[in-house]
Amino acid sequence: MKHEPIVPKAKTAGSALPGRTKRRGVELAAHVLRPTGHVVDAAVLDLSYEGCRIRTGEYLWPGEAIKLSVPRRGVIKAKVRWCEHGEAGLAFDPQTRKPTRARVERASTRVPAPFEVSLRRIGHIAFRVDVRDLSPTGCKIELVERPAIGETMHVKFEGLEVLEGKVRWIDGYVAGLSFIRPIHPAVFDLLLMRLKAK
């Protein structure tokens, strides 16, 4: 009598997390490098500020330390948080300062970013505004309503949770925001790839 192989399931899957809204994003081709040296084809489906969700053809064990390789972005160390139905959630290694691809190390370096985001002042409605440049620690945005220096603003990139930023300076209808919770460098690189692919 033949027995079907048992495929274990994680206790907590991304689809089961309370309060998680379904995120939509551009698929990015990637590869998972397992500790055994085995390489698995994958696709990055969406991002959070500490990790990402991927599609994978193999079961990845929760707690497994892997490396995520994204073309033109280098290799990112991560841990598997959950795996179910051909998808897995990864948490990027907080010790990973940057992907292995060489990058400029200046914290103040910002990338020109002609993208739109949703911006909201506390107690006000949200507006779509243009981001002029972007870094893991902040951005320069165009304003609809003039805030006060030091005021907290809510910034929403498509496919990511709301990010809080403090107004550091205002020049006419342009302001500089400093993120209270910086974007992980690996997530920042993947976010730029997705935004540019639109």
Side-chain angles (χ1 to χ4, degrees):
M1 181 177 176
K2 286 189 175 181
H3 294 279
E4 292 295 325
I6 298 173
V7 178
K9 287 186 178 181
K11 291 183 180 179
T12 304
S15 57
L17 291 177
R20 170 73 61 88
T21 56
K22 187 173 182 181
R23 292 185 292 226
R24 182 167 53 96
V26 176
E27 292 190 17
L28 302 174
H31 302 283
V32 172
L33 285 67
R34 307 191 78 169
T36 59
H38 186 56
V39 178
V40 181
D41 289 337
V44 177
L45 301 179
D46 63 35
L47 301 170
S48 72
Y49 292 112
E50 294 86 19
C52 66
R53 178 170 63 96
I54 64 170
R55 181 185 301 121
T56 173
E58 290 188 11
Y59 184 83
L60 304 178
W61 292 92
E64 182 178 350
I66 59 96
K67 294 179 181 178
L68 181 69
S69 174
V70 180
R72 301 182 303 280
R73 291 291 111 176
V75 177
I76 306 162
K77 292 181 180 179
K79 273 197 175 180
V80 179
R81 303 297 298 187
W82 57 267
C83 187
E84 188 172 276
H85 306 307
E87 295 184 357
L90 306 182
F92 294 139
D93 184 348
Q95 301 303 315
T96 304
R97 299 297 300 173
K98 62 181 187 313
T100 53
R101 179 175 175 266
R103 289 184 52 174
V104 177
E105 288 291 332
R106 290 175 55 201
S108 60
T109 298
R110 293 192 175 187
V111 178
F115 314 126
E116 277 194 351
V117 296
S118 174
L119 181 71
R120 184 175 68 84
R121 299 173 65 191
I122 295 174
H124 294 69
I125 64 172
F127 292 95
R128 298 293 295 178
V129 299
D130 288 330
V131 175
R132 292 195 177 180
D133 61 35
L134 178 66
S135 79
T137 58
C139 64
K140 181 165 64 175
I141 58 168
E142 293 186 359
L143 300 171
V144 174
E145 298 177 335
R146 188 180 175 89
I149 300 293
E151 185 175 334
T152 299
M153 309 281 282
H154 289 165
V155 181
K156 178 78 168 64
F157 289 94
E158 185 178 346
L160 285 174
E161 299 95 338
V162 171
L163 191 62
E164 290 187 333
K166 290 275 189 185
V167 178
R168 295 304 182 193
W169 57 264
I170 300 173
D171 183 6
Y173 285 92
V174 176
L177 297 186
S178 175
F179 298 143
I180 294 172
R181 181 183 176 193
I183 302 173
H184 189 291
V187 175
F188 179 75
D189 278 353
L190 294 176
L191 175 62
L192 286 182
M193 283 185 70
R194 191 174 64 179
L195 290 172
K196 290 176 181 178
K198 287 182 178 296

